[in-house]
Amino acid sequence: MTRHICIAQEPEADKLLSIDDFALVVGMTLDQQFPMEAAFKGPQKIAERMDGFDLHKIAAADPDQFVALCSETPAIHRFPGSMAKRIHDLAVFIVDNYDGTPSAIWTEGDPDGKTVLKRLKGLPGWGDMKARIFLALLGKQLGVEPAGWREAAGDYGNDGERRSVADVVDSVSLQEVRDFKKQAKAAAKAAKTG
């Protein structure tokens, strides 16, 4: 199945996300306290500095040198040091636990949605919400639909909504997701003060 990811809103970055599962996992890892399209450009920045994007090369890299590489201007994130460490830890974790194959997280042993969610939550630096959003991304954009994936993804698995990065397929949907998040934040603030 050919996939066409359009989250970074930049052809080369989106091409890498479309062909490399680890790039997609790294983009999701970087998607916090940073604009989502900028987060998903991170793997391309790393690829340009490491002469390609290679999970094994990242896992084998000296952690301090990898932090320095990710901190070069333009940095991969507003917190490049901590995020570089997280990416390095993630690469090592996938090599050690999934034989260097990120897709094994969602395919090994024909898992159901709850199992995939549990595996995603086990990734370094990933919490419940990030795992649910990525599970929704797998189902909505990659055609990875283990039994019960929508239920395991919670509201992020809802069809026809523009709630998270899982729903970003072009610049219009990116803006719709931004609008949704803005409204949700305003509603939460109103509920807190009201």
Side-chain angles (χ1 to χ4, degrees):
M1 175 179 170
T2 304
R3 65 190 199 205
H4 178 70
I5 303 294
C6 191
I7 299 170
Q9 309 290 303
E10 186 178 279
E12 285 304 306
D14 282 325
K15 181 180 176 186
L16 180 59
L17 297 170
S18 298
I19 62 171
D20 190 303
D21 292 327
F22 187 58
L24 202 56
V25 170
V26 167
M28 190 72 217
T29 300
L30 293 172
D31 187 20
Q32 62 186 61
Q33 298 180 303
F34 201 50
M36 74 179 83
E37 70 276 17
F40 281 87
K41 288 177 188 169
Q44 180 62 31
K45 289 178 185 173
I46 293 168
E48 289 166 0
R49 297 168 192 179
M50 289 189 85
D51 194 28
F53 193 79
D54 185 318
L55 179 148
H56 294 278
K57 208 168 162 183
I58 292 170
D62 174 271
D64 293 334
Q65 289 179 356
F66 187 66
V67 166
L69 176 135
C70 291
S71 300
E72 290 174 18
T73 306
I76 62 159
H77 193 274
R78 71 187 266 211
F79 303 114
S82 60
M83 292 312 247
K85 183 178 177 346
R86 190 168 289 169
I87 292 166
H88 185 268
D89 291 348
L90 191 59
V92 170
F93 183 86
I94 292 172
V95 166
D96 290 349
N97 294 279
Y98 295 100
D99 205 24
T101 306
S103 62
I105 297 165
W106 52 88
T107 61
E108 190 174 89
D110 194 26
D112 63 9
K114 282 184 181 178
T115 302
V116 175
L117 180 64
K118 184 179 177 182
R119 290 175 181 177
L120 291 169
K121 286 164 66 170
L123 295 176
W126 283 45
D128 184 67
M129 185 167 65
K130 189 176 291 290
R132 288 180 190 276
I133 291 169
F134 195 78
L135 179 57
L137 175 65
L138 290 171
K140 291 179 175 184
Q141 295 200 40
L142 274 64
V144 175
E145 301 176 339
W149 73 271
R150 284 191 191 273
E151 294 78 9
D155 289 342
Y156 299 107
N158 293 349
D159 213 10
E161 292 186 10
R162 298 287 190 231
R163 169 179 297 270
S164 74
V165 70
D167 305 305
V168 176
V169 294
D170 54 26
S171 59
V172 173
S173 56
L174 173 67
Q175 188 57 51
E176 290 171 348
V177 168
R178 277 216 173 89
D179 293 343
F180 174 86
K181 287 182 173 191
K182 193 175 183 180
Q183 290 167 0
K185 201 172 186 178
K189 188 176 180 181
K192 199 174 184 180
T193 57

